[in-house]
Amino acid sequence: MSNAGFPVQRLRRLRMTPTLRSMVRETSLRVTDLIYPLFVLHGSRVKAEVSSMPGIYNLSVDYIVEEARAVRDLGIPAVLLFGIPKTKDDMASEAYDPKGIVQQAVKAIKKATPDLVVITDVCLCAYTANGHCGIVRDGKILNDPTLEVLAKVALSHAQAGADIVAPSDMMDGHVRAIRKKLDEKGSPDVAIMSYAAKYASAFYGPFRDAAQATPAFGDRRSHQMDIANAREAELEILLDIKEGADIVMVKPALAYLDIIYRIRQRVLQPLAAYSVSGEYALIKAAAQQGWLDEEQIVLEWLTAIKRAGADLILTYFAKAVASKIA
Ligand code: PBG
């Protein structure tokens, strides 16, 4: 490092023109970094805007296919699917029903846009009557009995044609259970993107409107991580990698850039960051008031997530930014 100092050093020299700035830019946001979340529900010609997420919709399978084509045409390589089931029960049975809503959507998307990577969220919270991520007995979310159900869900997604399954439940041992099931039942090439360091965050509020998955009692603190912990994120990530995770994720993104940075220094696997529903809602609300420039803020926000070390970003802004960075 040169320490000649001013006036020999003038850092502004390389900031003088857009071309110079582009030459020394250290981080670039590419359309291939993006993953777009989609919410699918039963019915046909259903398109219902999520109240707390303007511009984001619950879509029936016919519309999901149209949306998948639009996403592909923008050059976005992947979607993440969430299902809103017809029935909710104690065993989350629609979650692993071969005719369940996610399974139908995966098949339809893979048929219409075979090159689009389809990732499915694997969790029980939208499918259990009580809105919890696992099997509940006596008011307690049970870890080990949930693993078998999650593995069944992941397998049914794989058999429908999913390229990647993404367990978001935060049960201990979930990646191992899913990997084992996929390998035993003939889906060894289906990858696992683990929501490995997922915090018990208030930033998921709007998502729970979108996916209709608010817990009927209690909260998610007995399985999701304490927001105050950072070392524990490393433990979670290293364990999931040991169990077979191909891609690991930190979630939420923006208030957790230190975690993204820390994990990037620690592991070799691709790292994803989920810029969650609450992050989307914050920007949208301020932009609607005319208080912030949405386009500029989104680029700054996503660039920061990449600069911290994420390879992939799950964001509800994927479609909006794709054309700006292509
Ligand atoms: C399911 C799940 C949640 C999110 C992704 N998968 C909600 C939660 O854990 O409560 C949040 C996504 C978002 O807020 O955008 N467990």
Side-chain angles (χ1 to χ4, degrees):
M1 194 185 120
S2 161
N3 54 5
F6 180 83
V8 172
Q9 280 186 304
R10 289 177 185 268
L11 296 182
R12 290 187 58 203
R13 282 180 201 125
L14 298 181
R15 293 178 198 149
M16 289 297 161
T17 69
T19 312
L20 278 168
R21 290 194 292 273
S22 74
M23 288 169 69
V24 297
R25 187 161 297 136
E26 299 171 33
T27 305
S28 57
L29 186 62
R30 303 171 310 166
V31 70
T32 47
D33 302 329
L34 305 174
I35 300 171
Y36 189 56
L38 291 174
F39 299 97
V40 62
L41 82 181
H42 289 273
S44 66
R45 304 324 264 175
V46 184
K47 180 174 181 177
E49 193 169 33
V50 179
S51 57
S52 47
M53 300 177 75
I56 299 297
Y57 299 85
N58 288 341
L59 300 172
S60 51
V61 174
D62 44 0
Y63 278 133
I64 280 283
V65 168
E66 282 176 26
E67 190 73 342
R69 286 203 185 95
V71 167
R72 187 241 356 236
D73 291 347
L74 284 165
I76 298 166
V79 292
L80 171 66
L81 270 184
F82 292 97
I84 299 147
K86 209 178 295 179
T87 48
K88 298 180 190 251
D89 56 33
D90 288 349
M91 288 308 288
S93 48
E94 191 179 319
Y96 48 85
D97 182 344
K99 295 203 173 60
I101 189 61
V102 167
Q103 292 80 354
Q104 286 182 36
V106 171
K107 276 190 202 139
I109 294 172
K110 287 312 284 187
K111 193 165 165 224
T113 52
D115 293 338
L116 187 69
V117 170
V118 174
I119 309 172
T120 55
D121 186 86
V122 174
C123 192
L124 306 188
C125 60
Y127 302 86
T128 47
N130 53 43
H132 279 297
C133 305
I135 302 299
V136 174
R137 238 167 268 150
D138 301 328
K140 217 177 143 191
I141 303 165
L142 303 181
N143 196 86
D144 298 10
T146 301
L147 297 180
E148 181 54 27
V149 185
L150 291 167
K152 267 166 55 178
V153 175
L155 179 64
S156 78
H157 292 175
Q159 289 174 340
D163 302 286
I164 303 178
V165 292
S168 66
D169 51 278
M170 290 297 282
M171 295 298 122
D172 287 319
H174 61 166
V175 174
R176 178 167 168 264
I178 290 170
R179 185 72 272 159
K180 189 161 170 279
K181 181 72 102 193
L182 292 175
D183 290 351
E184 281 171 6
K185 302 286 184 183
S187 295
D189 294 330
V190 170
I192 299 176
M193 176 169 80
S194 167
Y195 287 68
K198 175 173 173 178
Y199 286 87
S201 168
F203 279 100
Y204 310 149
F207 172 91
R208 292 179 190 167
D209 290 340
Q212 298 162 21
T214 306
F217 61 88
D219 54 39
R220 307 220 195 285
R221 289 179 216 211
S222 80
H223 50 293
Q224 297 180 350
M225 285 180 57
D226 188 318
I227 58 166
N229 293 355
R231 284 198 314 267
E232 191 189 352
E234 293 189 24
L235 265 178
E236 280 284 2
I237 297 260
L238 294 174
L239 272 171
D240 278 9
I241 288 173
K242 205 168 173 188
E243 292 180 21
D246 301 284
I247 301 173
V248 287
M249 189 204 292
V250 170
K251 179 188 174 192
L254 200 76
Y256 296 81
L257 293 180
D258 58 322
I259 308 299
I260 296 172
Y261 182 79
R262 208 170 157 129
I263 299 300
R264 178 69 297 160
Q265 311 308 308
R266 197 82 161 84
V267 307
L268 300 175
Q269 276 72 8
L271 175 60
Y274 199 146
S275 182
V276 299
S277 55
E279 298 177 40
Y280 179 84
L282 285 182
I283 296 180
K284 278 286 177 190
Q288 279 182 349
Q289 297 282 334
W291 291 344
L292 287 176
D293 178 332
E294 178 175 328
E295 192 182 316
Q296 295 292 327
I297 286 281
V298 171
L299 287 172
E300 184 171 339
W301 197 285
L302 299 181
T303 301
I305 295 169
K306 276 219 71 187
R307 193 187 62 227
D311 302 299
L312 297 167
I313 308 174
L314 299 106
T315 170
Y316 302 96
F317 287 111
K319 278 180 71 188
V321 294
S323 55
K324 309 282 182 312
I325 57 176

